[in-house]
Coordinates of all heavy atoms in Angstrom, one line a residue:
Chain A
A175 N 171.2 117.9 53.1 CA 169.9 117.4 52.7 C 169.4 118.3 51.6 O 168.9 117.7 50.6 CB 168.9 117.5 53.9
D176 N 169.6 119.6 51.6 CA 169.1 120.4 50.5 C 169.9 120.2 49.3 O 169.4 120.1 48.2 CB 169.3 121.9 50.9 CG 168.3 122.4 52.0 OD1 167.4 121.5 52.3 OD2 168.3 123.5 52.4
E177 N 171.2 119.9 49.4 CA 172.1 119.7 48.2 C 171.6 118.3 47.6 O 171.5 118.3 46.3 CB 173.5 119.6 48.7 CG 174.6 119.6 47.6 CD 174.8 121.0 47.0 OE1 174.8 122.0 47.9 OE2 174.9 121.2 45.8
I178 N 171.4 117.3 48.4 CA 170.9 116.0 47.8 C 169.6 116.1 47.1 O 169.5 115.6 46.0 CB 170.8 115.0 49.0 CG1 172.2 114.6 49.5 CG2 170.1 113.8 48.5 CD1 172.2 114.0 50.9
L179 N 168.7 116.8 47.7 CA 167.3 117.0 47.0 C 167.4 117.8 45.8 O 166.7 117.5 44.8 CB 166.3 117.6 48.0 CG 166.0 116.6 49.2 CD1 165.2 117.4 50.3 CD2 165.2 115.4 48.7
W180 N 168.3 118.8 45.8 CA 168.5 119.6 44.6 C 169.1 118.7 43.5 O 168.7 118.8 42.3 CB 169.4 120.8 44.9 CG 169.7 121.7 43.8 CD1 168.9 122.6 43.2 CD2 171.0 121.8 43.1 NE1 169.5 123.3 42.3 CE2 170.8 122.8 42.2 CE3 172.2 121.2 43.3 CZ2 171.8 123.2 41.3 CZ3 173.2 121.6 42.4 CH2 173.0 122.6 41.5
C181 N 170.1 117.9 43.8 CA 170.8 117.0 42.9 C 169.8 116.0 42.3 O 169.8 115.6 41.1 CB 171.9 116.3 43.5 SG 173.4 117.2 43.7
A182 N 168.9 115.5 43.2 CA 167.9 114.5 42.8 C 166.7 115.1 42.1 O 165.8 114.4 41.7 CB 167.5 113.7 44.0
R183 N 166.6 116.4 42.1 CA 165.5 117.2 41.5 C 164.2 116.9 42.2 O 163.1 116.8 41.5 CB 165.4 116.9 40.0 CG 166.7 117.3 39.2 CD 166.4 117.4 37.7 NE 165.4 118.4 37.4 CZ 165.2 118.8 36.2 NH1 165.8 118.3 35.1 NH2 164.2 119.7 35.9
L184 N 164.2 116.7 43.5 CA 163.0 116.4 44.3 C 162.7 117.5 45.2 O 163.6 118.0 45.9 CB 163.2 115.1 45.1 CG 163.4 113.8 44.3 CD1 163.9 112.7 45.2 CD2 162.1 113.4 43.6
A226 N 179.0 125.4 41.0 CA 177.9 124.6 40.4 C 177.1 123.9 41.5 O 176.1 123.2 41.2 CB 178.5 123.5 39.4
W227 N 177.5 124.0 42.7 CA 176.7 123.4 43.8 C 175.8 124.4 44.4 O 176.0 125.6 44.4 CB 177.7 123.0 44.9 CG 178.3 121.6 44.7 CD1 178.9 121.2 43.5 CD2 178.5 120.5 45.6 NE1 179.4 120.0 43.6 CE2 179.2 119.5 44.9 CE3 178.1 120.3 46.9 CZ2 179.5 118.3 45.5 CZ3 178.4 119.1 47.5 CH2 179.1 118.1 46.8
L228 N 174.6 123.9 44.9 CA 173.7 124.7 45.6 C 174.3 125.4 46.8 O 174.0 126.6 47.1 CB 172.5 123.9 46.1 CG 171.4 124.6 46.9 CD1 170.7 125.6 46.0 CD2 170.4 123.5 47.4
C239 N 169.5 129.7 41.3 CA 169.8 128.3 41.1 C 170.9 128.2 40.0 O 170.8 128.7 38.9 CB 168.5 127.6 40.6 SG 168.8 125.9 40.1
P240 N 172.0 127.5 40.3 CA 173.0 127.3 39.3 C 172.6 126.5 38.0 O 173.3 126.6 37.0 CB 174.1 126.5 40.0 CG 173.8 126.6 41.5 CD 172.3 126.8 41.6
K241 N 171.5 125.8 38.1 CA 171.0 125.0 37.0 C 170.1 125.9 36.1 O 170.2 125.9 34.9 CB 170.2 123.8 37.4 CG 171.0 122.8 38.2 CD 171.9 122.0 37.2 CE 172.6 120.8 37.9 NZ 173.6 120.2 37.1
L246 N 166.3 131.2 43.9 CA 166.1 130.1 44.9 C 165.1 130.5 45.9 O 164.9 131.7 46.2 CB 167.4 129.7 45.6 CG 168.5 129.1 44.7 CD1 169.8 129.2 45.4 CD2 168.2 127.7 44.3
C257 N 166.4 125.5 51.4 CA 166.7 126.2 50.2 C 166.5 125.3 49.0 O 167.1 124.2 49.0 CB 168.1 126.8 50.2 SG 168.5 127.8 48.7
W258 N 165.7 125.7 48.1 CA 165.5 124.8 46.9 C 165.1 125.6 45.7 O 164.8 126.8 45.8 CB 164.5 123.7 47.2 CG 163.1 124.2 47.6 CD1 162.7 125.0 48.6 CD2 161.9 123.9 46.8 NE1 161.4 125.2 48.6 CE2 160.8 124.5 47.5 CE3 161.6 123.2 45.7 CZ2 159.5 124.5 47.1 CZ3 160.3 123.1 45.2 CH2 159.3 123.8 45.9
S259 N 165.1 125.0 44.6 CA 164.8 125.6 43.3 C 163.5 125.1 42.7 O 163.5 124.0 42.1 CB 166.0 125.3 42.3 OG 165.8 125.9 41.1
W262 N 163.2 123.6 39.2 CA 164.1 122.5 39.0 C 163.7 121.2 39.7 O 163.9 120.1 39.3 CB 165.5 122.9 39.4 CG 166.6 121.9 39.3 CD1 167.3 121.3 40.3 CD2 167.3 121.4 38.1 NE1 168.2 120.4 39.9 CE2 168.2 120.5 38.5 CE3 167.1 121.7 36.8 CZ2 169.1 119.8 37.6 CZ3 167.9 121.0 35.8 CH2 168.8 120.1 36.3
Q263 N 163.2 121.4 40.9 CA 162.8 120.3 41.8 C 161.3 120.0 41.8 O 160.6 120.9 42.1 CB 163.4 120.5 43.2 CG 164.9 120.6 43.3 CD 165.4 121.2 44.6 OE1 165.8 122.3 44.7 NE2 165.3 120.3 45.6

Side-chain angles (χ1 to χ4, degrees):
Chain A
D176 287 357
E177 194 76 39
I178 288 163
L179 291 169
W180 180 75
C181 283
R183 300 195 63 172
L184 294 167
W227 279 45
L228 179 64
C239 172
K241 294 286 188 191
L246 293 165
C257 180
W258 62 297
S259 180
W262 176 252
Q263 295 169 255

